[in-house]
Amino acid sequence: MIFTFDKKMSAAEILVSPALAGDTSIEGTEAAFTPTDTPEANTRYRFTVASAAAQDGSELASTPQVTLVAAGPLSVSATQPADGSEDTDPTGNIVVIFNRPVVPLTGVEQQADLPQPLTFAPAVEGQGQWISTSVYQWTPAAPLAGGTTYQVTVAPLTDAANTATSEEYSFSFSTSSPIVLSSTPEGIFVRPDAAVRVTFSRPMDPASAEAAFTL
């Protein structure tokens, strides 16, 4: 942590809360706090310049504070669908959100060189794309099978700074089954030559629909 002043400094006292062991050094207009202990991951630290003096003898008129959160390990912070979701829309995309950047900013033409971390059981044909440095999206080539549970595995990845590697992560979700939305004809006094029509909530496999239909 570095505080920069408008004058060359001779002394500075930097306090950290919660307590974090470290050393304070002065160089020109900068006072730097260097931890000697490893900060706790995902912990919020408040750095306060309790006192400071310039080389000309003037003292600090205020008490500046800065709050920082120590980075935790690279991990999946959210997924869409969420782990354990039921009745998921089979036409939606699968999205994985990480807690920090994983890939650099690139154009569409460089996507092929980026990691493609998802595997599916059962298999899902489609196309993966990093839509930001920390968000990966898989677009299925066709709607997912209805009434099916999918297991998604995210392979270990290294963050964009090449300083942390995630562990393998898995989540699952179940898609909604197709339902009948409407059928015709209905009521009484129906014409004998009227066609029987059934409308489903999504495209159906013709062979299985015909095999299941009786009149």
Side-chain angles (χ1 to χ4, degrees):
M1 180 66 203
I2 298 176
F3 288 90
T4 302
F5 301 89
D6 61 348
K7 296 181 180 180
K8 291 185 177 181
M9 305 300 292
S10 60
E13 180 185 13
I14 300 176
L15 303 180
V16 186
S17 178
L20 179 65
D23 298 321
T24 300
S25 60
I26 305 295
E27 183 174 349
T29 60
E30 295 182 344
F33 178 86
T34 304
T36 55
D37 286 343
T38 302
E40 291 289 334
N42 300 316
T43 299
R44 186 180 299 273
Y45 289 94
R46 185 174 66 251
F47 297 83
T48 304
V49 181
S51 63
Q55 292 182 2
D56 62 6
S58 58
E59 296 184 354
L60 194 64
S62 61
T63 306
Q65 293 183 339
V66 175
T67 299
L68 301 174
V69 177
L74 176 63
S75 62
V76 174
S77 59
T79 63
Q80 297 173 3
D83 186 25
S85 295
E86 298 180 352
D87 293 329
T88 299
D89 181 2
T91 64
N93 296 326
I94 294 95
V95 179
V96 177
I97 303 171
F98 295 87
N99 64 341
R100 69 171 77 168
V102 177
V103 297
L105 286 171
T106 60
V108 176
E109 61 276 5
Q110 282 83 43
Q111 284 282 330
D113 299 326
L114 300 180
Q116 306 294 315
L118 301 191
T119 55
F120 298 87
V124 177
E125 297 295 328
Q127 180 68 44
Q129 180 181 1
W130 289 92
I131 59 177
S132 78
T133 59
S134 59
V135 179
Y136 181 81
Q137 175 178 281
W138 181 269
T139 303
L144 302 178
T148 302
T149 297
Y150 287 88
Q151 182 81 20
V152 185
T153 300
V154 185
L157 293 170
T158 301
D159 67 5
N162 209 30
T163 59
T165 301
S166 64
E167 297 182 352
E168 182 177 278
Y169 180 85
S170 294
F171 66 100
S172 63
F173 61 90
S174 298
T175 55
S176 59
S177 298
I179 61 174
V180 173
L181 297 178
S182 64
S183 60
T184 56
E186 60 182 7
I188 59 175
F189 303 120
V190 175
R191 289 175 56 87
D193 60 351
V196 177
R197 184 182 303 272
V198 179
T199 302
F200 295 90
S201 58
R202 66 176 62 100
M204 304 296 292
D205 174 62
S208 65
E210 291 175 7
F213 184 84
T214 58
L215 179 62

